[in-house]
Amino acid sequence: ETEEDIEELKEFLKFAKFERMGAFAYSNEDGTYAAEAYEDNVPEDVKQERLNDIMAVQQTISAEINQKKIGQKLKVMIDRVEGENFVGRTQFDSPEVDPEVLIPLDTKGVKIGQFYTAEIVDATDFDLYGK
């Protein structure tokens, strides 16, 4: 890939505005056409820098999308307790990879493994805060 390829990808991300997106630095996978037909000539530090740039674009998009969720009521499943919060996820999110919904521990009657309706009261780049 070239710098132009990366710039084109960043422009596409800004256009598409994915709600959720993950990316990884390229690595050869044995037995694939790419590994056998192409030389991996991009240094690891350049791969990491490009990945960081792409994820920074996505972080901005995610923050904008999450801000629009403030005031919404979402169905949330509580997965665990972490620090001062119950940690859950909406019905649209997978555990460990998608945004989480943090709800204060002092919320009465909340049990791990149960679904609740949470009002989103704040948001960051990748997490939502509910009550």
Side-chain angles (χ1 to χ4, degrees), residues 1-2 4 9 23 27 29 33 36 41 52 56 68 86-87 89 98 108 123:
E1 67 191 14
T2 65
E4 292 78 24
L9 176 58
S27 63
E29 294 292 328
Y33 178 80
E36 294 174 12
N41 60 359
N52 292 346
K68 293 177 183 174
F86 290 104
V87 179
R89 56 192 157 93
D98 285 328
K108 303 283 188 247

Side-chain angles (χ1 to χ4, degrees), residues 2-129:
T2 65
E3 288 299 326
E4 292 78 24
D5 293 331
I6 296 300
E7 290 305 315
E8 182 179 348
L9 176 58
K10 291 189 315 192
E11 289 306 312
F12 174 74
L13 292 175
K14 291 173 188 175
F15 169 78
K17 295 189 186 279
F18 293 113
E19 188 166 344
R20 292 169 184 78
M21 189 213 64
F24 304 91
Y26 175 81
S27 63
N28 279 328
E29 294 292 328
D30 290 338
T32 64
Y33 178 80
E36 294 174 12
Y38 298 104
E39 177 186 353
D40 182 7
N41 60 359
V42 178
E44 292 301 319
D45 61 328
V46 173
K47 289 180 191 179
Q48 190 60 50
E49 183 180 322
R50 290 174 175 176
L51 175 61
N52 292 346
D53 288 349
I54 288 167
M55 290 310 296
V57 170
Q58 181 58 32
Q59 185 175 2
T60 300
I61 293 165
S62 180
E64 291 171 5
I65 289 170
N66 280 351
Q67 287 297 311
K68 293 177 183 174
K69 292 179 182 176
I70 295 173
Q72 292 183 14
K73 293 183 179 181
L74 302 174
K75 188 174 183 179
V76 174
M77 179 180 203
I78 302 301
D79 288 325
R80 67 186 187 283
V81 170
E82 193 171 292
E84 299 296 316
N85 295 297
F86 290 104
V87 179
R89 56 192 157 93
T90 73
Q91 61 193 15
F92 308 108
D93 298 314
S94 295
E96 300 179 18
V97 295
D98 285 328
E100 296 178 323
V101 180
L102 306 173
I103 298 171
L105 266 182
D106 62 3
T107 305
K108 303 283 188 247
V110 176
K111 295 180 182 171
I112 294 172
Q114 298 296 312
F115 282 97
Y116 299 92
T117 299
E119 180 182 352
I120 305 305
V121 296
D122 199 4
T124 62
D125 304 341
F126 295 114
D127 291 318
L128 302 171
Y129 294 85

